[in-house]
């Protein structure tokens, strides 16, 4: 028979049994296969109910025929409620003994005991073997659901992945609910046969409703079959709800991606504003520190000069006060002598002339001293201004430092928030890719890893190909010209000017605190990721167009260095060395011995 083609595989309708032998075609068809399996289980369940109570009777009618017999034997065992098989086991044993010994005296109704024993055995047999096929089918479906309906997220993930975390929790609740329902079916029979017994409170609302309507609360075991049927129905309902949740999961993840990207863009805008603010505050802080340093150094340098100026100022001011007093006294004496000048003698006239001469000398000396005092005062004012400027800058520095600390703290907070959002977006995109890719189902079927290995097949870990080596050399040498290089590199499919601008802004924003080599490296990594046909020739041609022949030569040297080292390894003769038998000793002795054997 020829092998099945891919088209034929996708066209055929898969069943639950086939999923054990082949991978699901996609999630939607997997849901259809599960739904088909659930409908078959529902059909089997209806047949099981009919086989228990008969096709033409209801469960209530089947149970009611046992109630009189149960009430009859309860008078013999003298118990108000039959909780466990142990309560009636002695009666059953006596009945079996009476069947084997016709001469045995019987103090109970044989027919009633027979009916009750038939009822108990019938219910237990159905719980143990009747539901076996249904439970196995549901367990198989549950295993497939656990295998293919995944959240791809852990319960302890970031709170930003709330949808994925909640779905993982819901998924685990579905698994627990279905497993518990299926396990309880056979567990009810075990519990009834044990000493603990089974109570009406152990059942759900449906079984308790049956007991209340039939007024048969004294025999809870009659409704174990009803509870088992309800457990199967609840399990089917849980699986269907699980399918609905899983079907809508990828849609909710896509909505989360859009929402988180908006939040990330808003945080990045705030982050850029904070970066600008921190940069401005840091610049102002450095300016203040520089001014303070200049003022301190200048005041320290002029400290002795300031003392000298103050001393000179005091001397000059004292001298000016003396001159002003002398001028005032001499003016008074001048006026007094001027009044009697016409009667004065020659000697007195000479004294008067000498007085006028002294007065003019003092008046001539006074402006010079005043100018000198003003000059000293200006110098001292300058020093006071520098000291006040220093104090002012110190106060400003305290305020700016406080603002910078607060802004830097907020910046760090926003950076962490941006990193969290970026990681959340990447994780959500990964989840969405896993939930929408049929290849993931194939990997899950064959138990393959979902993510590709970073090391290429056939390449040893740590080795670099030519393009990687060239990108490393370019990143080390291109410096600030990585921006025009990224704009000039070819892209397939075409990138567009707007997308190039967004790429460059994104690299600058995310790697602002890194050096230009790291930024250039990220730009080249993005080019290799976006450009599906990236080659070494594209890179070197662009560098030649930018007139960076020096980098192209460095690339050639790096590649030639690698080739020469490889050729030397190939050409080196592989000679077997016969080492003389030595006792195990120091490694250096062994090395010397092997070297001697070579020579």
């Amino acid at each position: 028979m020829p092998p099945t083609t891919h088209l034929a595989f996708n066209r055929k309708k898969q069943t639950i049994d086939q999923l054990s032998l082949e991978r699901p075609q996609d999630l939607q068809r997997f849901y259809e296969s599960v739904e088909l399996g659930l409908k078959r289980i529902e059909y089997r369940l209806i047949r099981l109910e009919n086989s228990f109570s008969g096709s033409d009777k209801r469960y209530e009618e089947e149970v009611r025929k046992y109630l009189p017999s149960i009430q009859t034997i309860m008078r013999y065992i003298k118990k108000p409620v039959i909780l466990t098989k142990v309560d009636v086991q002695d009666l059953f044993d006596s009945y079996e003994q009476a069947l084997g010994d016709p001469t045995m005296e019987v103090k109970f109704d044989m027919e009633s005991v027979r009916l009750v024993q038939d009822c108990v055995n019938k219910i237990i047999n159905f719980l143990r073997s009747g539901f076996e096929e249904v439970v196995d089918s549901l367990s198989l479906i549950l295993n497939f659901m656990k295998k293919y309906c995944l959240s791809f997220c852990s319960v302890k993930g970031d709170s930003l992945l709330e949808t994925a975390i909640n779905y993982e929790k819901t998924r685990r609740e579905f698994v627990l609910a279905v497993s518990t329902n299926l396990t309880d079916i056979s567990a009810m029979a075990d519990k009834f046969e044990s000493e603990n017994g089974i109570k009406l409170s152990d059942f759900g609302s449906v079984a308790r409703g049956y007991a209340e309507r039939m007024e048969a609360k004294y025999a809870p075991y009659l409704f174990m079959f009803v509870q088992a049927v309800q457990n199967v129905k609840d399990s089917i309902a849980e699986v269907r709800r699980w399918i609905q949740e899983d079907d809508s999961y990828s849609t909710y993840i896509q909505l989360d991606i859009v929402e988180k990207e908006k939040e990330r863009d808003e945080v990045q805008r705030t982050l850029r504003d904070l970066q600008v603010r921190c940069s401005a505050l840091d610049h102002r802080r450095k300016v203040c520190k520089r001014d303070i340093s200049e003022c301190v150094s200048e005041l320290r340098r002029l400290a002795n000069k300031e003392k000298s100026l103050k001393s000179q100022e005091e001397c000059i001011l004292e001298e000016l006060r003396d001159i002003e007093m002398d001028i005032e006294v001499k003016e008074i004496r001048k006026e007094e002598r001027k009044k009697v000048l016409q009667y004065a003698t020659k000697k007195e006239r000479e004294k008067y002339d000498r007085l006028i001469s002294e007065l003019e000398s003092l008046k001539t000396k006074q402006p010079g001293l005043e100018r000198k005092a003003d000059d000293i005062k200006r110098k001292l004012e300058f020093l006071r201004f520098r000291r006040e400027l220093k104090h002012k800058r110190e106060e400003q520095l305290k305020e700016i430092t406080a603002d910078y600390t607060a802004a830097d703290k907020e910046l760090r907070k926003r950076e962490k928030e941006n990193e969290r959002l970026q990681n959340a977006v990447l994780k959500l995109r990964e989840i969405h890719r896993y939930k929408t890719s049929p290849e993931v189902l194939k990997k899950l079927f064959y138990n393959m890893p979902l993510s590709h290995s970073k090391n290429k097949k056939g390449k040893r870990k740590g080795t670099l190909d030519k393009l990687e080596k060239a990108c490393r050399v370019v990143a080390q040498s291109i410096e600030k010209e990585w921006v025009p290089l990224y704009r000039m590199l070819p892209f397939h499919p075409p990138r567009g000017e707007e997308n190039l601008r967004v790429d460059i802004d994104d690299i600058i924003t995310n790697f602002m605190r890194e050096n230009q080599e790291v930024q250039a490296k990220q730009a080249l990594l993005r080019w290799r990721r976006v450009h599906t046909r990236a080659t070494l020739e594209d890179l070197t041609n662009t560098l030649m167009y930018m007139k960076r022949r020096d980098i192209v030569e460095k690339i050639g040297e790096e590649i030639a260095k690698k080739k020469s080292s490889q050729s030397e390894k190939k050409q080196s003769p592989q000679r077997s060395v016969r080492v003389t038998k030595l006792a195990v000793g120091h490694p250096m002795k062994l090395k010397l011995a092997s070297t001697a054997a070579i020579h």
Side-chain angles (χ1 to χ4, degrees):
M1 180 182 291
T4 306
T5 62
H6 185 71
L7 183 60
F9 172 74
N10 286 324
R11 281 182 174 177
K12 71 177 183 179
K13 196 169 185 178
Q14 287 180 322
T15 62
I16 286 293
D17 296 331
Q18 289 174 329
L19 292 178
S20 302
L21 304 174
E22 60 187 22
R23 64 179 177 86
Q25 295 157 342
D26 54 47
L27 271 179
Q28 291 300 324
R29 296 188 185 182
F30 172 73
Y31 300 151
E32 293 173 2
S33 301
V34 172
E35 181 60 31
L36 182 61
L38 294 177
K39 288 180 179 179
R40 289 178 179 175
I41 292 173
E42 288 175 333
Y43 177 70
R44 290 173 189 164
L45 190 62
I46 293 173
R47 291 178 59 187
L48 190 63
E49 290 179 286
N50 291 336
S51 65
F52 183 84
S53 57
S55 58
D56 56 343
K57 290 191 299 182
R58 293 188 305 168
Y59 183 76
E60 294 182 15
E61 297 176 4
E62 177 67 18
V63 171
R64 284 189 189 277
K65 71 179 184 181
Y66 298 111
L67 293 181
S69 301
I70 294 172
Q71 293 171 356
T72 300
I73 69 167
M74 287 179 69
R75 289 196 295 270
Y76 293 107
I77 63 175
K78 296 180 181 180
K79 287 189 177 182
V81 181
I82 300 177
L83 299 178
T84 175
K85 189 177 179 181
V86 178
D87 296 339
V88 292
Q89 187 63 45
D90 292 340
L91 202 59
F92 291 164
D93 293 342
S94 299
Y95 170 74
E96 296 290 342
Q97 189 177 357
L99 290 177
D101 186 6
T103 62
M104 178 181 173
E105 183 181 358
V106 178
K107 298 181 180 180
F108 51 84
D109 186 358
M110 294 280 290
E111 183 62 21
S112 296
V113 175
R114 183 186 66 79
L115 286 173
V116 172
Q117 188 179 28
D118 291 344
C119 176
V120 170
N121 292 335
K122 181 179 181 180
I123 292 173
I124 291 176
N125 289 335
F126 265 90
L127 291 179
R128 292 195 184 283
S129 59
F131 283 89
E132 186 176 1
E133 186 179 359
V134 172
V135 170
D136 290 343
S137 299
L138 268 173
S139 299
L140 181 62
I141 289 176
L142 179 62
N143 290 332
F144 285 136
M145 292 291 291
K146 289 193 293 185
K147 186 172 185 178
Y148 297 115
C149 297
L150 301 174
S151 67
F152 303 102
C153 180
S154 65
V155 179
K156 297 181 180 180
D158 196 322
S159 58
L160 295 174
L161 306 173
E162 185 179 4
T163 300
I165 293 172
N166 288 341
Y167 175 64
E168 177 61 22
K169 291 179 180 178
T170 306
R171 178 181 169 277
R172 296 187 181 190
E173 290 171 1
F174 284 139
V175 172
L176 180 62
V178 175
S179 301
T180 304
N181 284 333
L182 298 180
T183 306
D184 284 350
I185 293 175
S186 58
M188 284 190 294
D190 296 336
K191 194 172 183 182
F192 177 67
E193 291 182 331
S194 67
E195 294 181 356
N196 296 327
I198 192 160
K199 301 176 184 177
L200 200 61
S201 58
D202 297 333
F203 297 150
S205 58
V206 176
R208 290 199 303 268
Y210 267 89
E212 290 173 0
R213 287 197 303 271
M214 299 175 65
E215 298 180 355
K217 294 182 180 180
Y218 51 82
Y221 72 90
L222 291 173
F223 308 101
M224 289 193 297
F225 181 83
V226 175
Q227 184 60 42
V229 171
Q230 190 60 40
N231 281 4
V232 174
K233 291 181 179 178
D234 290 343
S235 299
I236 292 172
E238 291 291 336
V239 172
R240 282 182 172 143
R241 282 199 295 272
W242 189 354
I243 289 173
Q244 292 176 357
E245 292 286 340
D246 194 76
D247 189 22
S248 59
Y249 179 51
S250 60
T251 304
Y252 291 139
I253 290 294
Q254 181 62 41
L255 294 175
D256 276 1
I257 291 173
V258 175
E259 180 183 353
K260 299 307 176 191
E261 284 180 340
K262 288 181 180 178
E263 292 181 15
R264 182 198 60 188
D265 294 342
E266 183 64 30
V267 169
Q268 286 180 351
R269 282 194 291 270
T270 306
L271 188 62
R272 285 194 291 269
D273 294 340
L274 284 170
Q275 287 170 343
V276 172
R277 175 173 169 75
C278 284
S279 178
L281 288 172
D282 188 47
H283 175 70
R284 289 176 59 192
R285 186 177 62 170
K286 289 178 180 178
V287 170
C288 283
K289 286 182 178 179
R290 184 191 63 197
D291 291 346
I292 292 171
S293 177
E294 290 177 355
C295 289
V296 168
S297 62
E298 189 172 13
L299 290 172
R300 190 182 292 116
R301 181 170 52 84
L302 298 176
N304 294 329
K305 183 69 175 178
E306 185 179 14
K307 291 180 182 179
S308 175
L309 288 172
K310 286 181 178 179
S311 176
Q312 291 178 18
E313 185 183 32
E314 290 177 1
C315 294
I316 291 172
L317 289 177
E318 186 177 356
E319 189 175 356
L320 279 171
R321 285 194 297 270
D322 293 342
I323 289 174
E324 287 175 355
M325 289 181 63
D326 287 349
I327 290 174
E328 185 177 356
V329 170
K330 291 183 184 301
E331 285 287 345
I332 294 171
R333 290 172 62 187
K334 174 187 171 184
E335 292 297 327
E336 290 177 352
R337 291 184 179 184
K338 189 176 181 180
K339 291 179 182 178
V340 294
L341 184 63
Q342 56 185 349
Y343 306 107
T345 61
K346 182 178 179 181
K347 189 175 181 180
E348 289 176 345
R349 285 181 177 275
E350 288 177 356
K351 288 182 179 180
Y352 178 75
D353 293 338
R354 193 164 50 251
L355 179 63
I356 290 173
S357 175
E358 291 174 356
L359 189 61
E360 289 178 353
S361 175
L362 288 173
K363 287 182 178 180
T364 304
K365 188 178 179 181
Q366 186 180 15
L369 290 174
E370 288 177 348
R371 286 193 298 272
K372 197 172 181 181
D374 290 340
D375 184 51
I376 293 173
K377 186 178 181 180
R378 280 195 301 272
K379 291 178 180 180
L380 291 174
E381 284 291 335
F382 173 75
L383 292 174
R384 280 194 292 273
F385 168 74
R386 298 298 286 181
R387 192 170 287 107
E388 290 174 0
L389 178 64
K390 173 179 167 291
H391 293 310
K392 183 178 178 181
R393 288 289 184 266
E394 287 174 346
E395 293 297 326
Q396 288 180 350
L397 181 61
K398 290 179 181 178
E399 295 177 1
I400 293 171
T401 302
D403 293 342
Y404 176 79
T405 303
D408 188 64
K409 185 178 179 181
E410 183 67 19
L411 177 63
R412 296 289 176 269
K413 180 181 175 182
R414 293 293 181 178
E415 284 177 345
K416 291 181 179 178
E417 187 178 356
N418 179 56
E419 185 178 359
R420 280 185 63 211
L421 285 167
Q422 184 66 24
N423 292 335
V425 169
L426 292 175
K427 182 63 178 177
L428 289 170
R429 285 177 178 170
E430 180 184 76
I431 293 172
H432 188 266
R433 185 173 70 254
Y434 287 162
K435 291 300 292 184
T436 55
S437 174
E439 288 297 317
V440 173
L441 298 177
K442 181 179 179 180
K443 292 179 179 179
L444 291 174
F445 178 77
Y446 291 108
N447 295 321
M448 296 168 59
L450 297 179
S451 58
H452 293 290
S453 176
K454 291 185 179 180
N455 296 320
K456 293 184 179 180
K457 187 177 179 181
K459 184 191 290 188
R460 291 180 303 167
K461 188 175 180 180
T463 60
L464 299 173
D465 62 9
K466 291 182 181 180
L467 184 56
E468 286 175 345
K469 274 186 168 292
C471 289
R472 189 177 63 182
V473 173
V474 172
Q476 292 171 352
S477 308
I478 195 67
E479 296 180 350
K480 63 182 179 181
E481 289 188 66
W482 68 266
V483 176
L485 172 65
Y486 188 76
R487 291 184 179 277
M488 293 181 188
L489 284 169
F491 284 91
H492 181 81
R495 194 72 178 143
E497 186 63 30
E498 182 63 23
N499 289 330
L500 291 175
R501 186 185 62 78
V502 171
D503 290 345
I504 294 170
D505 291 343
D506 187 42
I507 293 170
I508 293 174
T509 302
N510 293 331
F511 300 93
M512 176 180 288
R513 297 182 180 275
E514 303 292 342
N515 54 28
Q516 292 176 345
E517 180 180 344
V518 175
Q519 294 177 352
K521 184 178 179 181
Q522 294 299 322
L524 291 170
L525 285 174
R526 182 168 296 201
W527 170 66
R528 293 182 64 187
R529 187 172 66 250
V530 176
H531 182 38
T532 57
R533 302 174 182 174
T535 61
L536 177 60
E537 186 179 0
D538 292 338
L539 183 59
T540 54
N541 288 341
T542 306
L543 289 170
M544 291 297 291
Y545 182 77
M546 292 176 62
K547 298 181 180 178
R548 293 305 304 265
R549 182 183 291 274
D550 56 328
I551 300 178
V552 177
E553 291 174 354
K554 288 181 180 179
I555 293 172
E557 292 173 0
E558 186 69 22
I559 295 174
K561 189 189 303 181
K562 180 181 177 182
K563 285 183 178 179
S564 61
S565 62
Q566 289 178 350
S567 62
E568 286 175 2
K569 289 180 181 179
K570 290 180 181 179
Q571 293 174 4
S572 61
Q574 301 293 329
R575 295 188 296 173
S576 59
V577 181
R578 186 174 181 180
V579 183
T580 57
K581 188 175 181 181
L582 296 172
V584 178
H586 196 278
M588 183 58 71
K589 293 180 180 179
L590 295 176
K591 184 176 180 181
L592 291 172
S594 63
T595 307
I598 293 173
H599 291 294

